[in-house]
Amino acid sequence: MFEFCLQGTQGAARAGTLTLPHGVVQTPAFMPVGTHAVVRGLSAADVRRTGAQIILGNTDHLHLRPGESVVHSMGGLHRFTTWNAPMLTDSGGFQVFSLEGLRRIEEDGVEFQSHIDGSLHLLTPESVMQIQWQLGADVAMAFDHVVPGQSAYEAASEGMERTLRWLCRCRAKHQELADPVRQTLWPIIQGGVHEELRLRSLEGTLEQGPWTGIAVGGLSVGEPKPVLHHVLELLHPAMPAGIPRYLMGVGFPPDLLEGIARGVDLFDCVAATRNGRHGTAWLPTGRLNVRGAALKGSLEPLDPSCDCETCTTYPRGYLRHLFVVEDILALRLVSIHNIRFLVRLGEQARAHILNGTFERWSRQWLDCYYAGGE
Amino acid sequence: MFEFCLQGTQGAARAGTLTLPHGVVQTPAFMPVGTHAVVRGLSAADVRRTGAQIILGNTDHLHLRPGESVVHSMGGLHRFTTWNAPMLTDSGGFQVFSLEGLRRIEEDGVEFQSHIDGSLHLLTPESVMQIQWQLGADVAMAFDHVVPGQSAYEAASEGMERTLRWLCRCRAKHQELADPVRQTLWPIIQGGVHEELRLRSLEGTLEQGPWTGIAVGGLSVGEPKPVLHHVLELLHPAMPAGIPRYLMGVGFPPDLLEGIARGVDLFDCVAATRNGRHGTAWLPTGRLNVRGAALKGSLEPLDPSCDCETCTTYPRGYLRHLFVVEDILALRLVSIHNIRFLVRLGEQARAHILNGTFERWSRQWLDCYYAGGE
C-alpha cells in the first residue's frame, strides 16, 4: 500500500503509478477539489466521468460542517460522498492562515473563528490528525504554518521551523491513531521564496521520514511564476525520486505543464470549477467566455478536441443559452469540461513522457495556449 | 404518426400508447417542464434516467430567449437541447394571461411586456403557430384565452368563446405551415368552473376536429380540488376515447392518481423541480424536508422504495449536508427524485390499470400518502 512506481521520466518530468487503499493513481494527475465533500456542483458520477482518479476534501470546512464525527459515524468520507476512489484531505493549514477569522497562532496550534456561526475553534497538529483520521481519506496532510506569499526571511523561517516541529507532533499522533494500511501522512515543505529555507525545510522533513509522499506548499500565493518555477527546480534534485510530489493549490492549465516539467506528480486547484461557474472555459487556444454573444446559435462543441460529456453532447449555443437564462446546469457543464481539460492534460503529459516526446509537445501546447491570448 | 392505442381501461382510467415523431409515450405519463428548454438544473441525460418519455418547453419564454429563429437555425428544440425524444410546447396562453406585464387583449391577440427588457411582444394565434413550428416540438398547443380561476360565467364564457375562435385560426395557420408528419396541433378546452361552458368548449372544439389529442386547461388555478375533479368527470363521457387527454399544469402526486382515475393520460407541472430546489422531497408517506436536522448522519436512502439515481446512490445525511453547504448538487438530486417519483407513479398506475387493480392500489396509495401529513 502507498507504493509509488516510476514508469518513465523525461528530464525532470515523471510518469508514475501511486497505489492507495481505494485505488491506483496514474501520474502526473490533477486532483479536483471537493471543499465541502463535494466537487462544487458535481455528482460523484460526474467527477468519475471526467477521468479524475483522486479528489480532495478540506479538513477545516468538514470539521465545521458536518463535523468529522458525523462523517465518521456514516462510515467515512468515501461512504458519505459515494466517491469510491482515492481521496486526500488537506490539513486546513492553508485555509486557517488565509482566513479573516484567524485569531491566535501559538506553538500549540491555531485558534480561528468559524465563518458560519462565529464560534471559536482550535486546530493543533494533534486535532488535525484526529479529524483527518475520522474523515478517513487515503492520504492525510500534515498541519503546516503557511506564511503570506513573498514573506520576508524572518517570517518565512518562523513558519517553516514551526511546520517542522508540528510535523513531528503530526507523525506521532498519526502513528498512534491511524491504521497504517488505511491512511498515510504526507509532510509539506514550506520556506516561502527563500532558497535556503526551502532546502532546510526539505532536509528537516526528510530527517523525520521515511514518507510515502511529499508536498510543496506556500506557493502560488502571489509570487511571480518564475519564482515558483525556481523553487521547484531547486527542490527537484534534493527530493527522493521514489515518492510522489504534490504541488499544493496549483492548477491553471499552463501551471500543470510547467510543474510536470519540474518533477511534480500531483496538483490540486479550485480554478477549474470556479472558472466553470463564472462561465470561463479552458480551450487548447486559451480561455473562452461561454456567456459571449459570439456563441449564440453556434452548433460547434465547446472544445472540438475534447472528449468530455459537455463537449461530446451540447452545442455552444445551448451552453450560452443556459448562462443567459441562469440555469445551474450551465455551471455544471462548464465545470465538467474544465476538470476534464486538466485531467486530460495529465493523461497526455504522461503518454508523452513515456514516449519521450514530452518536452516538444509541452512547448507546442503552451505556444498554442498563450497565442490564444491567455 | 400521432396514433394513440388503448391497451386497457379500468373504470375511467386508461393505459395507452401514443406514437410521436420522436418516440413512443406509454400513458398515463407525467411530462417534466423545461420552461427555458432545460428541465431546471437537469441535463437531458438526467431527465432520461428518470424514465420521463416526453418533456415540455414554454413558447413565450423561448420566443424571448433565445428566440425561435435561433432554435430553428440550430435544427430545432431537439437538437438544441439534445433531448432526442418526444417534446411538446405549450402555446404561451397560460403564461401571458398570468403575467404582470400583460398589456392588451384583443380579438387579434395579446400584447405583453417582456420581463427581461420591457420590450412589447404581440402573440396571435398565427404567430404562436409560427413560433411553435420553428421550435419544432412533436406537439404544438393551440393559443388559448385563459381566465383567472373561478371566474364568473360572463368572463369564463368570453375566454372560452375566444379560445374557440382562435382555435380555428391556429388550425388554419398550422395546416399552412407545419409538416403534418412532424408536428401535430392539440386544442385546449376552457370554460372555467362552469359545466355548461366546459361542455360547450368541448363541443365547439370537436366540431373543428378531428384532433390527435386534446387538453384541458384553466384548471388547478385556485379552484377547490372537488371542482377540478367534477370538471374531469363531466368531460369524460363526452371526450372521444381514441385520443390522449392532457390535463395542463397539474402534477402533485395525489393529483396524478385523481386525474388518472378520471381518464387523464398526460400531466405536466413545475412542482417536481420547484419542490426539489426548495428541499422538499416526495415520498410514499408524504413530503420530507431534506434540510431537516433529523436527516443529519442518516445512512438511509431518501426513499427506500425508489429506484432513482439519488435514492440508489446517496445517503440522506449527505443530501442534507449538500443543502447545508448550499451546493447546487442538492437541488439537482432532489429534483431528480421528485421527477422519478411522478414518472414512476405513472408507470405503476399503468401496470395496475392493465392488471385491473388500479382502483384498490390507488386508494391504498393515497391513504398512505395523506397519512404522512400531506
Side-chain angles (χ1 to χ4, degrees):
Chain A
M1 206 45 69
F2 307 112
E3 268 183 9
F4 183 68
C5 301
L6 277 181
Q7 273 89 43
T9 59
Q10 190 191 352
R14 302 140 46 95
T17 302
L18 171 65
T19 304
L20 294 172
H22 288 85
V24 160
V25 182
Q26 309 274 21
T27 64
F30 168 71
M31 308 187 284
V33 180
T35 302
H36 294 106
V38 53
V39 177
R40 275 276 197 114
L42 304 190
S43 71
D46 290 334
V47 180
R48 222 168 278 129
R49 281 192 291 267
T50 67
Q53 308 168 78
I54 173 169
I55 63 171
L56 252 73
N58 281 122
T59 289
D60 58 318
H61 286 92
L62 294 170
H63 172 60
L64 298 178
R65 296 185 302 190
E68 62 277 11
S69 61
V70 171
V71 175
H72 183 65
S73 75
M74 289 179 67
L77 269 184
H78 291 90
R79 201 151 163 219
F80 182 59
T81 60
T82 77
W83 174 261
N84 289 315
M87 291 189 89
L88 178 150
T89 39
D90 76 356
S91 62
F94 177 75
Q95 277 74 21
V96 296
F97 284 100
S98 28
L99 279 179
E100 288 196 10
L102 181 61
R103 281 304 177 88
R104 200 164 46 84
I105 307 169
E106 288 182 5
E107 188 58 23
D108 186 41
V110 177
E111 196 180 58
F112 73 100
Q113 193 166 24
S114 161
H115 63 286
I116 302 156
D117 61 4
S119 57
L120 287 176
H121 295 259
L122 181 69
L123 288 184
T124 67
E126 290 78 14
S127 73
V128 163
M129 290 301 102
Q130 175 81 47
I131 296 168
Q132 289 187 85
W133 171 240
Q134 289 207 274
L135 293 174
D138 303 70
V139 179
M141 298 303 300
F143 192 49
D144 54 341
H145 182 165
V146 183
V147 295
Q150 308 193 67
S151 285
Y153 187 92
E154 200 63 27
S157 175
E158 190 196 333
M160 182 275 286
E161 293 289 354
R162 178 167 288 136
T163 299
L164 284 177
R165 292 192 297 276
W166 282 358
L167 179 59
C168 187
R169 288 165 56 190
C170 284
R171 173 138 206 160
K173 187 69 183 177
H174 194 259
Q175 282 176 339
E176 176 198 321
L177 279 176
D179 179 338
V181 304
R182 286 177 50 205
Q183 186 178 74
T184 193
L185 172 67
W186 288 358
I188 303 173
I189 304 300
Q190 291 291 349
V193 298
H194 307 280
E195 290 194 8
E196 188 193 324
L197 298 180
R198 284 284 173 182
L199 289 172
R200 162 73 195 124
S201 178
L202 178 58
E203 183 191 32
T205 298
L206 295 179
E207 277 167 10
Q208 296 185 40
W211 305 104
T212 60
I214 194 165
V216 182
L219 287 174
S220 198
V221 287
E223 78 286 353
K225 283 284 155 76
V227 173
L228 187 162
H229 298 163
H230 179 69
V231 170
L232 293 178
E233 287 159 12
L234 177 79
L235 291 173
H236 173 66
M239 294 259 220
I243 59 172
R245 302 162 185 180
Y246 162 27
L247 177 56
M248 303 182 83
V250 172
F252 279 80
D255 299 334
L256 251 69
L257 295 191
E258 301 286 6
I260 292 167
R262 290 164 180 86
V264 176
D265 306 300
L266 296 167
F267 301 84
D268 81 283
C269 190
V270 296
T273 41
R274 182 171 293 162
N275 276 347
R277 290 198 304 280
H278 295 161
T280 299
W282 289 324
L283 305 185
T285 49
R287 290 181 299 193
L288 179 76
N289 175 10
V290 185
R291 302 167 185 272
L295 277 68
K296 189 167 183 172
S298 169
L299 277 167
E300 253 192 287
L302 191 54
D303 173 0
S305 69
C306 180
D307 58 4
C308 83
E309 190 185 343
T310 304
C311 293
T312 56
T313 311
Y314 297 98
R316 284 182 172 196
Y318 186 63
L319 297 174
R320 183 204 183 242
H321 170 72
L322 293 176
F323 275 103
V324 169
V325 300
E326 297 178 348
D327 195 283
I328 58 173
L329 177 60
L331 322 180
R332 166 177 158 206
L333 292 179
V334 182
S335 293
I336 285 173
H337 167 72
N338 283 347
I339 290 179
R340 175 66 191 143
F341 193 78
L342 292 185
V343 166
R344 202 155 144 259
L345 211 49
E347 292 170 1
Q348 291 170 316
R350 180 180 165 85
H352 283 287
I353 293 166
L354 293 173
N355 281 340
T357 51
F358 173 76
E359 207 182 313
R360 189 164 48 102
W361 167 78
S362 171
R363 203 167 44 238
Q364 286 171 350
W365 195 99
L366 290 168
D367 285 349
C368 174
Y369 188 81
Y370 287 121
E374 170 83 355
Chain B
M1 205 48 69
F2 308 111
E3 268 182 9
F4 183 68
C5 301
L6 278 181
Q7 273 88 44
T9 59
Q10 191 190 354
R14 300 139 48 95
T17 302
L18 171 65
T19 304
L20 294 172
H22 288 84
V24 160
V25 182
Q26 309 275 21
T27 63
F30 168 71
M31 309 187 283
V33 180
T35 302
H36 295 105
V38 53
V39 177
R40 274 276 195 112
L42 305 190
S43 70
D46 289 336
V47 181
R48 223 168 277 130
R49 281 191 292 267
T50 66
Q53 307 168 79
I54 172 169
I55 63 171
L56 252 72
N58 281 122
T59 289
D60 57 317
H61 286 91
L62 295 170
H63 171 60
L64 297 178
R65 296 185 302 191
E68 62 277 10
S69 60
V70 171
V71 174
H72 183 66
S73 75
M74 289 179 69
L77 269 184
H78 291 91
R79 201 153 163 216
F80 182 58
T81 61
T82 79
W83 174 262
N84 288 314
M87 291 188 89
L88 178 152
T89 40
D90 76 358
S91 62
F94 176 76
Q95 278 74 23
V96 295
F97 285 99
S98 29
L99 279 178
E100 288 195 12
L102 181 62
R103 279 307 176 87
R104 199 166 46 86
I105 307 169
E106 289 182 6
E107 188 58 24
D108 186 42
V110 177
E111 195 180 58
F112 73 100
Q113 192 167 26
S114 161
H115 63 286
I116 302 156
D117 61 5
S119 57
L120 287 176
H121 295 258
L122 180 69
L123 288 184
T124 66
E126 290 78 14
S127 73
V128 163
M129 289 302 101
Q130 174 82 45
I131 297 169
Q132 289 188 82
W133 171 240
Q134 288 208 275
L135 293 174
D138 302 69
V139 179
M141 298 303 299
F143 192 48
D144 53 342
H145 182 165
V146 184
V147 294
Q150 309 193 63
S151 285
Y153 186 93
E154 199 64 25
S157 175
E158 189 196 335
M160 182 275 286
E161 294 289 352
R162 178 167 287 135
T163 299
L164 283 178
R165 291 191 299 275
W166 282 358
L167 178 60
C168 186
R169 289 165 56 190
C170 283
R171 174 138 203 162
K173 187 69 181 176
H174 194 257
Q175 281 178 341
E176 175 198 321
L177 279 175
D179 179 339
V181 304
R182 286 176 52 207
Q183 186 179 74
T184 192
L185 171 66
W186 287 359
I188 303 173
I189 305 300
Q190 290 292 348
V193 297
H194 307 280
E195 290 193 9
E196 188 193 325
L197 298 180
R198 283 285 172 183
L199 288 173
R200 161 75 195 127
S201 179
L202 178 58
E203 184 192 29
T205 299
L206 295 180
E207 276 167 10
Q208 296 185 41
W211 305 104
T212 61
I214 193 165
V216 181
L219 288 173
S220 199
V221 287
E223 79 286 353
K225 283 284 154 77
V227 173
L228 188 161
H229 298 164
H230 180 69
V231 171
L232 294 178
E233 286 160 12
L234 177 78
L235 292 173
H236 173 67
M239 294 258 222
I243 59 173
R245 303 162 186 180
Y246 161 27
L247 177 56
M248 303 183 82
V250 171
F252 279 80
D255 299 334
L256 253 68
L257 295 192
E258 300 286 6
I260 292 167
R262 291 165 180 85
V264 176
D265 305 300
L266 296 168
F267 301 84
D268 81 283
C269 190
V270 297
T273 42
R274 182 172 292 161
N275 276 346
R277 292 198 303 280
H278 295 161
T280 299
W282 288 325
L283 305 185
T285 50
R287 290 181 300 194
L288 178 76
N289 175 10
V290 185
R291 302 167 184 272
L295 276 68
K296 190 168 182 171
S298 169
L299 277 167
E300 252 191 286
L302 190 53
D303 173 0
S305 70
C306 181
D307 58 3
C308 83
E309 189 185 346
T310 304
C311 293
T312 55
T313 311
Y314 297 97
R316 283 182 171 196
Y318 186 62
L319 297 174
R320 182 202 182 244
H321 170 72
L322 293 177
F323 275 103
V324 169
V325 301
E326 296 177 350
D327 195 282
I328 57 173
L329 177 60
L331 321 182
R332 167 177 159 208
L333 293 178
V334 183
S335 293
I336 285 173
H337 166 72
N338 284 348
I339 290 180
R340 176 65 191 144
F341 192 78
L342 293 185
V343 166
R344 202 156 144 259
L345 211 49
E347 293 170 2
Q348 291 170 317
R350 180 180 165 83
H352 283 287
I353 293 166
L354 293 174
N355 282 339
T357 50
F358 174 75
E359 207 182 315
R360 189 164 47 104
W361 167 78
S362 171
R363 204 168 41 238
Q364 285 171 351
W365 196 99
L366 289 168
D367 285 349
C368 174
Y369 188 81
Y370 287 122
E374 170 82 358

PDB file of all heavy atoms in Angstrom, chain B residues 250-270:
ATOM      1  N   VAL B 250     -51.049  20.336 -14.024  1.00  0.00           N
ATOM      2  CA  VAL B 250     -51.410  19.572 -12.827  1.00  0.00           C
ATOM      3  C   VAL B 250     -50.374  18.492 -12.590  1.00  0.00           C
ATOM      4  O   VAL B 250     -50.009  17.770 -13.522  1.00  0.00           O
ATOM      5  CB  VAL B 250     -52.814  18.951 -12.988  1.00  0.00           C
ATOM      6  CG1 VAL B 250     -53.119  17.986 -11.848  1.00  0.00           C
ATOM      7  CG2 VAL B 250     -53.852  20.067 -13.029  1.00  0.00           C
ATOM      8  N   GLY B 251     -49.891  18.372 -11.359  1.00  0.00           N
ATOM      9  CA  GLY B 251     -48.873  17.362 -11.148  1.00  0.00           C
ATOM     10  C   GLY B 251     -48.277  17.260  -9.768  1.00  0.00           C
ATOM     11  O   GLY B 251     -47.080  17.034  -9.649  1.00  0.00           O
ATOM     12  N   PHE B 252     -49.086  17.427  -8.698  1.00  0.00           N
ATOM     13  CA  PHE B 252     -48.626  16.939  -7.397  1.00  0.00           C
ATOM     14  C   PHE B 252     -48.995  15.456  -7.363  1.00  0.00           C
ATOM     15  O   PHE B 252     -49.919  15.029  -8.082  1.00  0.00           O
ATOM     16  CB  PHE B 252     -49.294  17.711  -6.260  1.00  0.00           C
ATOM     17  CG  PHE B 252     -48.626  19.036  -5.987  1.00  0.00           C
ATOM     18  CD1 PHE B 252     -48.888  20.138  -6.785  1.00  0.00           C
ATOM     19  CD2 PHE B 252     -47.715  19.173  -4.946  1.00  0.00           C
ATOM     20  CE1 PHE B 252     -48.258  21.353  -6.553  1.00  0.00           C
ATOM     21  CE2 PHE B 252     -47.089  20.381  -4.702  1.00  0.00           C
ATOM     22  CZ  PHE B 252     -47.363  21.478  -5.506  1.00  0.00           C
ATOM     23  N   PRO B 253     -48.295  14.661  -6.541  1.00  0.00           N
ATOM     24  CA  PRO B 253     -48.512  13.213  -6.631  1.00  0.00           C
ATOM     25  C   PRO B 253     -49.985  12.788  -6.528  1.00  0.00           C
ATOM     26  O   PRO B 253     -50.463  12.040  -7.401  1.00  0.00           O
ATOM     27  CB  PRO B 253     -47.655  12.657  -5.484  1.00  0.00           C
ATOM     28  CG  PRO B 253     -46.564  13.662  -5.325  1.00  0.00           C
ATOM     29  CD  PRO B 253     -47.194  14.989  -5.617  1.00  0.00           C
ATOM     30  N   PRO B 254     -50.769  13.269  -5.541  1.00  0.00           N
ATOM     31  CA  PRO B 254     -52.153  12.783  -5.479  1.00  0.00           C
ATOM     32  C   PRO B 254     -52.973  13.233  -6.687  1.00  0.00           C
ATOM     33  O   PRO B 254     -53.873  12.512  -7.115  1.00  0.00           O
ATOM     34  CB  PRO B 254     -52.706  13.436  -4.198  1.00  0.00           C
ATOM     35  CG  PRO B 254     -51.523  13.930  -3.459  1.00  0.00           C
ATOM     36  CD  PRO B 254     -50.456  14.195  -4.451  1.00  0.00           C
ATOM     37  N   ASP B 255     -52.624  14.405  -7.241  1.00  0.00           N
ATOM     38  CA  ASP B 255     -53.354  14.903  -8.411  1.00  0.00           C
ATOM     39  C   ASP B 255     -53.237  13.943  -9.579  1.00  0.00           C
ATOM     40  O   ASP B 255     -54.172  13.806 -10.377  1.00  0.00           O
ATOM     41  CB  ASP B 255     -52.799  16.266  -8.855  1.00  0.00           C
ATOM     42  CG  ASP B 255     -52.929  17.316  -7.773  1.00  0.00           C
ATOM     43  OD1 ASP B 255     -53.827  17.182  -6.928  1.00  0.00           O
ATOM     44  OD2 ASP B 255     -52.126  18.267  -7.778  1.00  0.00           O
ATOM     45  N   LEU B 256     -52.078  13.305  -9.720  1.00  0.00           N
ATOM     46  CA  LEU B 256     -51.905  12.360 -10.815  1.00  0.00           C
ATOM     47  C   LEU B 256     -52.899  11.212 -10.671  1.00  0.00           C
ATOM     48  O   LEU B 256     -53.602  10.865 -11.623  1.00  0.00           O
ATOM     49  CB  LEU B 256     -50.473  11.795 -10.820  1.00  0.00           C
ATOM     50  CG  LEU B 256     -49.576  12.324 -11.945  1.00  0.00           C
ATOM     51  CD1 LEU B 256     -49.284  13.789 -11.743  1.00  0.00           C
ATOM     52  CD2 LEU B 256     -48.286  11.525 -12.047  1.00  0.00           C
ATOM     53  N   LEU B 257     -52.965  10.646  -9.467  1.00  0.00           N
ATOM     54  CA  LEU B 257     -53.857   9.490  -9.292  1.00  0.00           C
ATOM     55  C   LEU B 257     -55.320   9.897  -9.442  1.00  0.00           C
ATOM     56  O   LEU B 257     -56.110   9.170 -10.052  1.00  0.00           O
ATOM     57  CB  LEU B 257     -53.605   8.831  -7.933  1.00  0.00           C
ATOM     58  CG  LEU B 257     -52.213   8.203  -7.775  1.00  0.00           C
ATOM     59  CD1 LEU B 257     -52.165   7.343  -6.525  1.00  0.00           C
ATOM     60  CD2 LEU B 257     -51.846   7.371  -8.997  1.00  0.00           C
ATOM     61  N   GLU B 258     -55.671  11.061  -8.918  1.00  0.00           N
ATOM     62  CA  GLU B 258     -57.062  11.534  -9.046  1.00  0.00           C
ATOM     63  C   GLU B 258     -57.393  11.809 -10.517  1.00  0.00           C
ATOM     64  O   GLU B 258     -58.510  11.546 -10.970  1.00  0.00           O
ATOM     65  CB  GLU B 258     -57.267  12.819  -8.224  1.00  0.00           C
ATOM     66  CG  GLU B 258     -56.994  12.682  -6.724  1.00  0.00           C
ATOM     67  CD  GLU B 258     -58.078  11.913  -5.970  1.00  0.00           C
ATOM     68  OE1 GLU B 258     -59.004  11.379  -6.615  1.00  0.00           O
ATOM     69  OE2 GLU B 258     -57.988  11.849  -4.724  1.00  0.00           O
ATOM     70  N   GLY B 259     -56.436  12.331 -11.249  1.00  0.00           N
ATOM     71  CA  GLY B 259     -56.650  12.621 -12.670  1.00  0.00           C
ATOM     72  C   GLY B 259     -56.756  11.336 -13.486  1.00  0.00           C
ATOM     73  O   GLY B 259     -57.638  11.204 -14.343  1.00  0.00           O
ATOM     74  N   ILE B 260     -55.860  10.406 -13.216  1.00  0.00           N
ATOM     75  CA  ILE B 260     -55.871   9.131 -13.955  1.00  0.00           C
ATOM     76  C   ILE B 260     -57.212   8.420 -13.733  1.00  0.00           C
ATOM     77  O   ILE B 260     -57.812   7.889 -14.671  1.00  0.00           O
ATOM     78  CB  ILE B 260     -54.687   8.240 -13.508  1.00  0.00           C
ATOM     79  CG1 ILE B 260     -53.363   8.870 -13.954  1.00  0.00           C
ATOM     80  CG2 ILE B 260     -54.833   6.822 -14.058  1.00  0.00           C
ATOM     81  CD1 ILE B 260     -52.122   8.259 -13.320  1.00  0.00           C
ATOM     82  N   ALA B 261     -57.687   8.464 -12.490  1.00  0.00           N
ATOM     83  CA  ALA B 261     -58.971   7.817 -12.167  1.00  0.00           C
ATOM     84  C   ALA B 261     -60.114   8.440 -12.953  1.00  0.00           C
ATOM     85  O   ALA B 261     -61.180   7.828 -13.094  1.00  0.00           O
ATOM     86  CB  ALA B 261     -59.240   7.929 -10.666  1.00  0.00           C
ATOM     87  N   ARG B 262     -59.910   9.660 -13.447  1.00  0.00           N
ATOM     88  CA  ARG B 262     -60.949  10.363 -14.209  1.00  0.00           C
ATOM     89  C   ARG B 262     -60.602  10.470 -15.694  1.00  0.00           C
ATOM     90  O   ARG B 262     -61.065  11.355 -16.397  1.00  0.00           O
ATOM     91  CB  ARG B 262     -61.195  11.735 -13.574  1.00  0.00           C
ATOM     92  CG  ARG B 262     -61.863  11.614 -12.196  1.00  0.00           C
ATOM     93  CD  ARG B 262     -61.814  12.872 -11.374  1.00  0.00           C
ATOM     94  NE  ARG B 262     -62.470  12.663 -10.081  1.00  0.00           N
ATOM     95  CZ  ARG B 262     -61.887  12.141  -9.001  1.00  0.00           C
ATOM     96  NH1 ARG B 262     -60.603  11.783  -9.060  1.00  0.00           N
ATOM     97  NH2 ARG B 262     -62.568  11.974  -7.873  1.00  0.00           N
ATOM     98  N   GLY B 263     -59.725   9.581 -16.150  1.00  0.00           N
ATOM     99  CA  GLY B 263     -59.498   9.455 -17.583  1.00  0.00           C
ATOM    100  C   GLY B 263     -58.367  10.275 -18.169  1.00  0.00           C
ATOM    101  O   GLY B 263     -58.217  10.333 -19.392  1.00  0.00           O
ATOM    102  N   VAL B 264     -57.552  10.923 -17.325  1.00  0.00           N
ATOM    103  CA  VAL B 264     -56.452  11.742 -17.862  1.00  0.00           C
ATOM    104  C   VAL B 264     -55.263  10.845 -18.224  1.00  0.00           C
ATOM    105  O   VAL B 264     -54.942   9.898 -17.505  1.00  0.00           O
ATOM    106  CB  VAL B 264     -56.023  12.819 -16.840  1.00  0.00           C
ATOM    107  CG1 VAL B 264     -54.817  13.596 -17.357  1.00  0.00           C
ATOM    108  CG2 VAL B 264     -57.182  13.760 -16.550  1.00  0.00           C
ATOM    109  N   ASP B 265     -54.607  11.184 -19.359  1.00  0.00           N
ATOM    110  CA  ASP B 265     -53.471  10.395 -19.834  1.00  0.00           C
ATOM    111  C   ASP B 265     -52.131  11.102 -19.641  1.00  0.00           C
ATOM    112  O   ASP B 265     -51.101  10.455 -19.483  1.00  0.00           O
ATOM    113  CB  ASP B 265     -53.645  10.097 -21.328  1.00  0.00           C
ATOM    114  CG  ASP B 265     -54.969   9.426 -21.621  1.00  0.00           C
ATOM    115  OD1 ASP B 265     -55.204   8.331 -21.075  1.00  0.00           O
ATOM    116  OD2 ASP B 265     -55.795  10.013 -22.360  1.00  0.00           O
ATOM    117  N   LEU B 266     -52.135  12.439 -19.692  1.00  0.00           N
ATOM    118  CA  LEU B 266     -50.875  13.197 -19.639  1.00  0.00           C
ATOM    119  C   LEU B 266     -50.992  14.353 -18.641  1.00  0.00           C
ATOM    120  O   LEU B 266     -52.058  14.978 -18.533  1.00  0.00           O
ATOM    121  CB  LEU B 266     -50.535  13.756 -21.023  1.00  0.00           C
ATOM    122  CG  LEU B 266     -50.244  12.726 -22.119  1.00  0.00           C
ATOM    123  CD1 LEU B 266     -50.224  13.396 -23.488  1.00  0.00           C
ATOM    124  CD2 LEU B 266     -48.895  12.028 -21.854  1.00  0.00           C
ATOM    125  N   PHE B 267     -49.891  14.628 -17.956  1.00  0.00           N
ATOM    126  CA  PHE B 267     -49.834  15.683 -16.944  1.00  0.00           C
ATOM    127  C   PHE B 267     -48.530  16.455 -17.113  1.00  0.00           C
ATOM    128  O   PHE B 267     -47.528  15.898 -17.557  1.00  0.00           O
ATOM    129  CB  PHE B 267     -49.805  15.077 -15.539  1.00  0.00           C
ATOM    130  CG  PHE B 267     -50.980  14.213 -15.208  1.00  0.00           C
ATOM    131  CD1 PHE B 267     -51.018  12.877 -15.588  1.00  0.00           C
ATOM    132  CD2 PHE B 267     -52.053  14.733 -14.497  1.00  0.00           C
ATOM    133  CE1 PHE B 267     -52.103  12.070 -15.273  1.00  0.00           C
ATOM    134  CE2 PHE B 267     -53.148  13.936 -14.171  1.00  0.00           C
ATOM    135  CZ  PHE B 267     -53.176  12.595 -14.565  1.00  0.00           C
ATOM    136  N   ASP B 268     -48.536  17.718 -16.702  1.00  0.00           N
ATOM    137  CA  ASP B 268     -47.271  18.448 -16.575  1.00  0.00           C
ATOM    138  C   ASP B 268     -47.390  19.378 -15.391  1.00  0.00           C
ATOM    139  O   ASP B 268     -48.498  19.808 -15.034  1.00  0.00           O
ATOM    140  CB  ASP B 268     -46.967  19.293 -17.818  1.00  0.00           C
ATOM    141  CG  ASP B 268     -47.721  20.609 -17.790  1.00  0.00           C
ATOM    142  OD1 ASP B 268     -48.930  20.600 -18.074  1.00  0.00           O
ATOM    143  OD2 ASP B 268     -47.124  21.648 -17.433  1.00  0.00           O
ATOM    144  N   CYS B 269     -46.251  19.702 -14.764  1.00  0.00           N
ATOM    145  CA  CYS B 269     -46.259  20.609 -13.610  1.00  0.00           C
ATOM    146  C   CYS B 269     -44.820  20.915 -13.227  1.00  0.00           C
ATOM    147  O   CYS B 269     -43.945  20.063 -13.351  1.00  0.00           O
ATOM    148  CB  CYS B 269     -46.971  19.928 -12.432  1.00  0.00           C
ATOM    149  SG  CYS B 269     -47.302  21.039 -11.064  1.00  0.00           S
ATOM    150  N   VAL B 270     -44.581  22.150 -12.765  1.00  0.00           N
ATOM    151  CA  VAL B 270     -43.232  22.509 -12.330  1.00  0.00           C
ATOM    152  C   VAL B 270     -42.984  22.127 -10.873  1.00  0.00           C
ATOM    153  O   VAL B 270     -41.876  22.323 -10.368  1.00  0.00           O
ATOM    154  CB  VAL B 270     -42.956  24.025 -12.496  1.00  0.00           C
ATOM    155  CG1 VAL B 270     -43.013  24.437 -13.958  1.00  0.00           C
ATOM    156  CG2 VAL B 270     -43.923  24.851 -11.667  1.00  0.00           C
TER     157      VAL B 270
END
